[in-house]
Amino acid sequence: MLRRFIVLDMDRTLLNTEHYGELLMDAFGLSDAERKRVRVLLAKNTGSNFDLLAHVSEGRSVSVDQVKESMLKKSKETLEKLLLPGVRDLFQVLKETRDAHGILTTGTPENQSLKLALLRHVLGESEVSLPAEITSVLNKSATFALDHWRPRQKAFYIGPVLSGVRGGCYASRLIMVDDKHGNLSTPHVQIVALHVPVTPS
């Protein structure tokens, strides 16, 4: 039984989603005019789990693997900008405390998988050291409270995909970190919700 498990959101919590969008447009070779249109579209859909990959890849013959390879070839300094301020420090602390943690991200599998691959690459993590689950659930904390709480064990069940543990594991407390207040609304006393404000600092 874990004392606690930390559930991390990805977009605008760990990952600079705007910078990801710029790198994606680079990889697909969008023109200046196309980039302007995409930026306007992104601004209108901020926080809505908009599938940018599907949008920019429509009608183009470039594969996702080619796009991933192109993005990973960017300079270390360029890729480092994918991390929001403090993220590298956060993962250093998690290594020191050895707190169990995983990423729970909402969106389409292909788009979120690409983001996860880039994030792990920049952090020097693997699928084993940084497990992640892609979901369609919006209010993550309420869903955990309703679906994952096991009264008999007095703990939350964390599945194998999110926990990285075969068969899953149990945690008596959850710490949920997200940029959206709506994903953190739950009355469950064993869930600690930490809101990350969306600001440059």
Side-chain angles (χ1 to χ4, degrees):
M1 172 83 72
L2 297 173
R3 182 169 64 93
R4 63 186 182 186
F5 187 92
I6 301 173
V7 181
L8 299 162
D9 177 49
M10 180 168 61
D11 290 291
R12 290 168 299 278
T13 299
L14 304 175
L15 185 78
N16 184 329
T17 310
E18 288 184 5
H19 188 58
Y20 165 78
E22 293 298 323
L23 294 183
L24 195 60
M25 288 188 280
D26 283 347
F28 276 101
L30 268 65
S31 67
D32 289 343
E34 289 173 317
R35 283 171 177 270
K36 287 179 181 178
R37 287 195 292 270
V38 169
R39 288 177 188 133
V40 170
L41 190 61
L42 285 174
K44 290 179 179 178
N45 288 278
T46 299
S48 66
N49 303 308
F50 176 68
D51 190 343
L52 179 60
L53 177 60
H55 180 76
V56 298
S57 64
E58 187 175 359
R60 300 175 193 271
S61 58
V62 184
S63 71
V64 175
D65 285 340
Q66 289 173 313
V67 166
K68 178 180 173 182
E69 185 179 346
S70 172
M71 294 172 84
L72 289 176
K73 285 180 179 177
K74 293 289 185 179
S75 69
K76 183 179 178 180
E77 291 76 16
T78 297
L79 290 174
E80 187 70 19
K81 293 176 184 177
L82 285 167
L83 301 182
L84 286 170
V87 170
R88 191 168 288 283
D89 293 336
L90 167 65
F91 278 91
Q92 182 58 43
V93 170
L94 290 175
K95 280 185 173 64
E96 293 169 0
T97 63
R98 297 184 179 180
D99 275 307
H101 59 279
I103 294 175
L104 183 62
T105 180
T106 303
T108 58
E110 200 167 43
N111 192 32
Q112 299 308 98
S113 293
L114 177 57
K115 292 176 186 176
L116 284 167
L118 292 167
L119 183 66
R120 287 175 175 136
H121 175 79
V122 176
L123 288 169
E125 302 282 355
S126 66
E127 292 184 18
V128 174
S129 63
L130 183 53
E133 182 174 344
I134 299 170
T135 180
S136 58
V137 169
L138 296 178
N139 192 332
K140 299 170 187 173
S141 56
T143 299
F144 260 95
L146 292 171
D147 299 340
H148 295 262
W149 177 252
R150 301 293 185 265
R152 188 173 179 179
Q153 287 84 2
K154 294 183 179 179
F156 294 95
Y157 172 68
I158 316 296
V161 177
L162 180 58
S163 67
V165 176
R166 186 175 181 180
C169 63
Y170 288 91
S172 57
R173 183 181 294 265
L174 288 182
I175 297 177
M176 304 199 73
V177 186
D178 205 299
D179 69 296
K180 297 189 189 74
H181 278 296
N183 290 346
L184 298 170
S185 58
T186 176
H188 203 291
V189 295
Q190 293 302 100
I191 293 181
V192 177
L194 298 179
H195 179 245
V196 178
V198 184
T199 64
S201 61

